[in-house]
Each structure stands twice: as C-alpha cells, then as structure tokens.
C-alpha cells in the first residue's frame, strides 16, 4: 500500500541543514548508491513530492550548476506564502493550502505510489499534526552540528522497523504510531 514517507538525511544531533542552510556536512559523506535504503530505490517508488519553500530554493540554486534544472519527474508541491518562480518543464505546484488538501491531491497524483515529504522538519511536523505521515526513513550522517534546521520538531512516537548501514550512514526506518491499538501490538 502507498505510504507517505519523510525520507531525509540528518546529523546525529537531529539537524537536516546547518544554520546557513548548508548541506556541506552531508554532501561530503560516503554513500553507496546501490546500498540499503538508497535514494534511487526510494525515488523510483515515489509518485509525488512535497516540500517547503526553503528546500525548494536550495534545490533550484544547487541544481543550476548540474545542467539538470529540476531533479524530479513526479508532480511536486511546494508550500509557500510567496510567489516563487517555477522551473521550465517541471510540474511544480505552489501552495499554501491545508496539509490535508495537498496530501489528498498528491496521493491521487501518485496513483498508488508513495508520497515523499522532503522537508523541512516543521513541514513534516505539519503532516504529522494532521495524522498524514506513515513512515520516517532517516540517513544519519556521522557528524554533529550543534545547531541548524531541526529534523522533526514535534513529540512523536515511532516504531523502529529496520536499521542498516550504508557506507558512512546509519539508515533507520520507522513507522509512525498513531493509535493505542498500534501501541498495543506485539513488537
Ligand atoms: N538533510 C536533508 O535531507 C534535507 C531535506 C530537506 C530539506 N533540507 C534543508 O533543510 C532546510 C529546511 O529549511 P526550513 O526548515 O526552512 O524548511 P522548509 O520547509 O523547506 O521551508 C520553510 C518555508 O516553507 C513555507 N511553508 C511552510 N509551511 C507552510 C504552510 N503551511 N503554508 C505555506 N507555506 C509554508 C514557508 O515559506 P514562505 O516564507 O515562502 O511562506 C516557510 O518559511 C533547508 O536548508 C533545506 O535545504 C535538508
């Protein structure tokens, strides 16, 4: 069954970007592109992409140097209160609609595939607040930053489904515990 998944890379101390919105701590790490929980396998199963404006702006800025304007073929929703420029040829839908509304549209567009919540952390939190997040897949880099953009600034109970190693990273896969019935299930 299709899931709504926050797939993200984090420092050990729970930051997904440094205070200057830099990912240099992440991009320098060794990763096996064919290893466990790898990005290529994940994105192949995703049918829609959801992100906040800072993440969008970071992507546009950093894609510019790669010769490829936009990394996703999936329809992508970008939460913003501003009027942001789009990317030629990309299916990008700017929105400030409620998370439930955007999720319904993304789920329909995904047509049976997963919905990827890219981040940031507060946006993932808005999806958890609305009971829309099913899973977290976190790639923990071997670094601490002490400050930055938080992974998921909410109180949330999770069930650990799997951990594995991919090169420098600890890969951790969790499901969100939503109800008492879930909590009572044997582990
Ligand atoms: N390590 C990773 O895997 C990873 C993954 C994702 C992101 N990142 C990085 O982490 C940082 C995250 O930045 P961030 O925490 O600022 O998060 P963000 O979610 O990317 O952007 C926050 C912005 O999204 C808009 N927004 C959020 N909720 C909204 C809502 N309900 N309605 C309308 N607009 C809404 C607002 O933009 P407006 O001001 O336009 O209204 C808000 O300022 C970025 O540097 C990003 O590149 C890292």
């Amino acid at each position: 069954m299709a899931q709504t998944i926050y797939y993200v890379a984090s420092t050990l101390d729970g930051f997904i970007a440094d205070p200057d919105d830099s990912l240099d701590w992440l991009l320098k790490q060794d990763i096996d592109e064919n290893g466990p929980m790898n990005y290529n396998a994940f994105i192949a199963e995703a049918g829609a992409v959801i992100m906040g404006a800072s993440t969008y702006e970071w992507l546009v800025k950093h894609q510019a140097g790669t010769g490829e304007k936009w990394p996703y073929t999936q329809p992508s929703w970008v939460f913003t209160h501003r009027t942001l420029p789009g990317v030629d040829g990309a299916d990008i839908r700017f929105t400030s609609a409620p998370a439930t509304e955007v999720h319904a549209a993304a789920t329909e567009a995904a047509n049976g595939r997963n919905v990827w919540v890219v981040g940031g952390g507060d946006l993932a939190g808005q999806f958890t607040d609305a009971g829309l997040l099913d899973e977290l897949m976190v790639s923990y880099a071997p670094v601490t930053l002490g400050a930055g953009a938080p992974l998921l600034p909410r109180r949330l109970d999770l069930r650990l489904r799997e951990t594995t190693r991919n090169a420098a990273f600890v890969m951790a896969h969790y499901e969100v515990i939503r109800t008492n019935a879930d909590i009572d299930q044997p582990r």
Side-chain angles (χ1 to χ4, degrees), residues 107-171:
T107 301
E108 188 179 345
N111 197 21
R113 292 197 288 162
N114 295 324
V115 173
W116 178 20
V117 178
V118 185
D122 184 70
L123 186 67
Q126 293 177 45
F127 276 70
T128 65
D129 294 343
L132 298 170
L133 199 72
D134 299 309
E135 298 178 18
L136 261 79
M137 295 175 78
V138 187
S139 310
Y140 285 102
V143 57
T144 59
L145 290 174
L151 171 64
L152 187 47
R154 294 295 192 279
R155 167 74 199 264
L156 189 63
D157 288 317
L158 302 164
R159 180 178 294 121
L160 180 62
R161 213 188 250 187
E162 188 186 353
T163 54
T164 182
R165 177 181 182 172
N166 181 320
F169 292 85
V170 172
M171 317 296 280

Side-chain angles (χ1 to χ4, degrees), residues 6-11 15-18 20-23 25-26 51-59 62 78-84 95-99 116-124 126-127 139 148-151:
Y6 181 32
Y7 177 97
V8 65
S10 175
T11 68
F15 297 107
I16 63 169
D18 83 4
D20 300 319
D21 274 338
S22 169
L23 298 183
W25 55 271
L26 172 64
M51 70 188 71
S54 305
T55 302
Y56 173 73
E57 290 178 306
W58 187 95
L59 272 169
H62 289 81
V78 175
F79 278 86
T80 183
H81 298 97
R82 293 171 288 154
T83 303
L84 293 173
T95 185
S96 58
W116 178 20
V117 178
V118 185
D122 184 70
L123 186 67
Q126 293 177 45
F127 276 70
S139 310
L151 171 64

